[in-house]
Coordinates of all heavy atoms in Angstrom, one line a residue:
D30 N 0.9 -1.2 0.0 CA 0.0 0.0 0.0 C 0.9 1.2 0.0 O 1.3 1.8 1.0 CB -0.9 0.0 1.2 CG -2.1 0.9 1.1 OD1 -2.1 1.7 0.2 OD2 -2.9 1.0 2.1
L31 N 1.3 1.7 -1.2 CA 2.5 2.5 -1.3 C 2.2 4.0 -1.3 O 3.2 4.8 -1.1 CB 3.2 2.3 -2.7 CG 3.5 0.8 -3.0 CD1 4.0 0.7 -4.4 CD2 4.5 0.3 -2.0
Y32 N 0.9 4.4 -1.3 CA 0.6 5.9 -1.5 C -0.6 6.1 -0.6 O -1.7 5.7 -1.0 CB 0.4 6.2 -2.9 CG 0.1 7.6 -3.3 CD1 1.2 8.4 -3.7 CD2 -1.1 8.2 -3.3 CE1 1.0 9.7 -4.1 CE2 -1.3 9.5 -3.6 CZ -0.3 10.3 -4.0 OH -0.4 11.6 -4.4
Q33 N -0.5 6.8 0.5 CA -1.6 7.0 1.4 C -1.8 8.5 1.7 O -0.8 9.2 2.1 CB -1.3 6.3 2.7 CG -1.1 4.8 2.5 CD -0.9 4.0 3.8 OE1 -1.3 4.4 4.9 NE2 -0.3 2.7 3.6
V34 N -3.0 9.0 1.4 CA -3.3 10.4 1.6 C -4.1 10.6 2.9 O -5.1 9.8 3.1 CB -4.1 10.9 0.4 CG1 -4.4 12.4 0.5 CG2 -3.4 10.6 -0.9
L35 N -3.7 11.6 3.7 CA -4.4 11.8 4.9 C -5.1 13.2 4.9 O -4.5 14.2 4.4 CB -3.4 11.8 6.1 CG -2.6 10.5 6.3 CD1 -1.7 10.6 7.5 CD2 -3.4 9.3 6.3
N36 N -6.3 13.3 5.5 CA -6.9 14.5 5.8 C -6.4 15.1 7.1 O -6.6 14.4 8.1 CB -8.4 14.3 5.8 CG -9.2 15.6 6.0 OD1 -8.7 16.6 6.5 ND2 -10.5 15.6 5.6
I37 N -5.7 16.2 7.1 CA -5.1 16.8 8.3 C -5.8 18.1 8.6 O -5.2 18.9 9.3 CB -3.6 17.0 8.1 CG1 -3.3 17.8 6.8 CG2 -2.9 15.6 8.0 CD1 -1.8 18.2 6.7
S38 N -7.1 18.3 8.2 CA -7.8 19.5 8.5 C -7.9 19.7 10.1 O -7.8 20.8 10.5 CB -9.2 19.4 7.9 OG -9.2 19.4 6.5
V39 N -8.0 18.6 10.8 CA -8.0 18.6 12.2 C -6.7 18.0 12.7 O -6.5 16.8 12.6 CB -9.2 17.8 12.8 CG1 -9.1 17.9 14.4 CG2 -10.5 18.4 12.3
P40 N -5.7 18.8 13.1 CA -4.3 18.2 13.4 C -4.3 17.1 14.4 O -3.4 16.2 14.3 CB -3.6 19.5 13.9 CG -4.3 20.6 13.3 CD -5.7 20.3 13.3
S41 N -5.3 17.1 15.3 CA -5.2 16.0 16.3 C -5.7 14.7 15.8 O -5.4 13.7 16.5 CB -6.1 16.5 17.5 OG -7.4 16.7 17.1
T42 N -6.4 14.7 14.7 CA -6.9 13.4 14.2 C -6.7 13.2 12.7 O -7.7 13.3 11.9 CB -8.4 13.3 14.5 OG1 -9.1 14.4 14.0 CG2 -8.7 13.2 16.0
P43 N -5.5 13.0 12.3 CA -5.3 12.7 10.8 C -6.0 11.4 10.4 O -6.0 10.4 11.2 CB -3.7 12.5 10.7 CG -3.2 13.0 12.0 CD -4.2 12.9 13.0
T44 N -6.7 11.5 9.3 CA -7.5 10.3 8.9 C -7.3 10.1 7.4 O -7.1 11.0 6.6 CB -9.0 10.5 9.1 OG1 -9.4 11.8 8.4 CG2 -9.3 10.6 10.6
R45 N -7.2 8.8 7.0 CA -7.0 8.5 5.6 C -8.2 8.8 4.8 O -9.3 8.6 5.2 CB -6.6 7.0 5.5 CG -6.4 6.6 4.0 CD -5.6 5.3 3.9 NE -5.3 5.0 2.5 CZ -4.6 4.0 2.1 NH1 -4.1 3.2 3.0 NH2 -4.4 3.8 0.8
C46 N -7.9 9.4 3.6 CA -9.0 9.8 2.7 C -8.8 9.3 1.3 O -9.5 9.7 0.4 CB -9.2 11.3 2.7 SG -7.7 12.2 2.2
S47 N -7.8 8.4 1.1 CA -7.6 7.9 -0.3 C -7.8 6.4 -0.3 O -7.6 5.7 0.7 CB -6.1 8.2 -0.7 OG -5.2 7.4 0.1
P48 N -8.2 5.9 -1.5 CA -8.3 4.4 -1.6 C -6.9 3.9 -1.8 O -5.9 4.6 -2.0 CB -9.1 4.2 -2.9 CG -8.8 5.5 -3.7 CD -8.6 6.6 -2.7
Q49 N -6.8 2.5 -1.8 CA -5.5 1.9 -2.1 C -5.3 2.0 -3.6 O -6.1 1.6 -4.4 CB -5.4 0.5 -1.6 CG -4.1 -0.2 -1.9 CD -3.9 -1.5 -1.1 OE1 -4.7 -1.8 -0.2 NE2 -3.0 -2.3 -1.5
I50 N -4.1 2.5 -4.0 CA -3.8 2.7 -5.4 C -2.9 1.6 -5.9 O -1.9 1.3 -5.2 CB -3.2 4.1 -5.7 CG1 -4.2 5.2 -5.2 CG2 -2.8 4.3 -7.1 CD1 -3.6 6.6 -5.2
S51 N -3.1 1.1 -7.1 CA -2.3 0.0 -7.6 C -1.1 0.6 -8.5 O -1.4 1.5 -9.3 CB -3.1 -0.9 -8.5 OG -2.3 -1.9 -9.1
F52 N 0.1 0.2 -8.2 CA 1.3 0.5 -9.0 C 1.9 -0.7 -9.5 O 2.8 -1.3 -8.9 CB 2.3 1.3 -8.1 CG 1.8 2.6 -7.6 CD1 1.1 2.7 -6.4 CD2 2.1 3.8 -8.3 CE1 0.7 4.0 -6.0 CE2 1.7 5.0 -7.9 CZ 1.0 5.1 -6.7
P53 N 1.4 -1.2 -10.7 CA 1.9 -2.5 -11.2 C 3.4 -2.5 -11.4 O 4.0 -1.5 -12.0 CB 1.2 -2.6 -12.6 CG 0.0 -1.8 -12.4 CD 0.3 -0.7 -11.5
G54 N 4.1 -3.5 -10.9 CA 5.5 -3.6 -11.0 C 6.3 -2.8 -10.0 O 7.6 -2.9 -10.0
V55 N 5.6 -2.1 -9.1 CA 6.3 -1.3 -8.1 C 6.1 -1.8 -6.7 O 5.0 -2.1 -6.3 CB 5.8 0.2 -8.1 CG1 6.5 1.0 -7.1 CG2 6.0 0.8 -9.5
T56 N 7.2 -2.0 -6.0 CA 7.1 -2.4 -4.6 C 7.7 -1.3 -3.6 O 7.6 -1.5 -2.4 CB 7.8 -3.7 -4.3 OG1 9.2 -3.5 -4.7 CG2 7.2 -4.8 -5.1
D57 N 8.2 -0.2 -4.2 CA 8.9 0.8 -3.4 C 8.8 2.1 -4.1 O 9.2 2.3 -5.2 CB 10.3 0.4 -3.1 CG 11.0 1.3 -2.1 OD1 10.3 2.1 -1.5 OD2 12.2 1.0 -1.8
I58 N 8.1 3.1 -3.4 CA 8.2 4.5 -3.9 C 9.2 5.2 -3.0 O 9.1 5.3 -1.8 CB 6.8 5.2 -3.8 CG1 5.8 4.5 -4.7 CG2 7.0 6.7 -4.1 CD1 4.4 5.1 -4.6
T59 N 10.3 5.6 -3.6 CA 11.5 6.1 -2.8 C 11.5 7.6 -2.5 O 12.1 8.0 -1.6 CB 12.8 5.8 -3.6 OG1 12.7 6.4 -4.9 CG2 13.0 4.3 -3.8
A60 N 10.7 8.4 -3.3 CA 10.7 9.8 -3.0 C 9.4 10.4 -3.6 O 8.8 9.9 -4.6 CB 11.9 10.5 -3.6
I61 N 9.0 11.6 -3.0 CA 7.8 12.3 -3.5 C 8.1 13.8 -3.5 O 8.8 14.3 -2.6 CB 6.5 11.9 -2.7 CG1 5.3 12.7 -3.2 CG2 6.8 12.2 -1.2 CD1 4.0 12.3 -2.6
S62 N 7.6 14.5 -4.5 CA 7.6 15.9 -4.5 C 6.3 16.4 -5.2 O 6.0 15.9 -6.3 CB 8.8 16.4 -5.4 OG 8.8 17.9 -5.3
S63 N 5.5 17.2 -4.5 CA 4.2 17.6 -5.0 C 4.3 19.1 -5.4 O 5.0 19.9 -4.8 CB 3.2 17.4 -3.9 OG 2.9 16.0 -3.7
I64 N 3.5 19.4 -6.4 CA 3.4 20.7 -7.0 C 1.9 21.2 -7.1 O 1.1 20.4 -7.5 CB 4.0 20.8 -8.4 CG1 5.5 20.6 -8.3 CG2 3.6 22.0 -9.1 CD1 6.2 21.8 -7.8
V65 N 1.6 22.4 -6.6 CA 0.3 23.0 -6.9 C 0.6 24.1 -7.9 O 1.3 25.1 -7.6 CB -0.3 23.6 -5.7 CG1 -1.6 24.3 -6.1 CG2 -0.6 22.5 -4.7

């Protein structure tokens, strides 16, 4: 389960808000950088 998104609107209770995403052929995501 390589990619997990949390809702942190309430800092005291982070909760997962994403489904499990399939990455065929991948067992390790080594780095992430996000852009808006």
Side-chain angles (χ1 to χ4, degrees):
D30 194 356
L31 307 175
Y32 187 95
Q33 302 185 19
V34 185
L35 308 183
N36 184 335
I37 54 172
S38 299
V39 181
S41 60
T42 55
T44 55
R45 181 161 181 175
C46 58
S47 67
Q49 183 168 341
I50 300 174
S51 175
F52 294 87
V55 177
T56 59
D57 191 0
I58 297 177
T59 57
I61 180 171
S62 182
S63 291
I64 288 289
V65 177

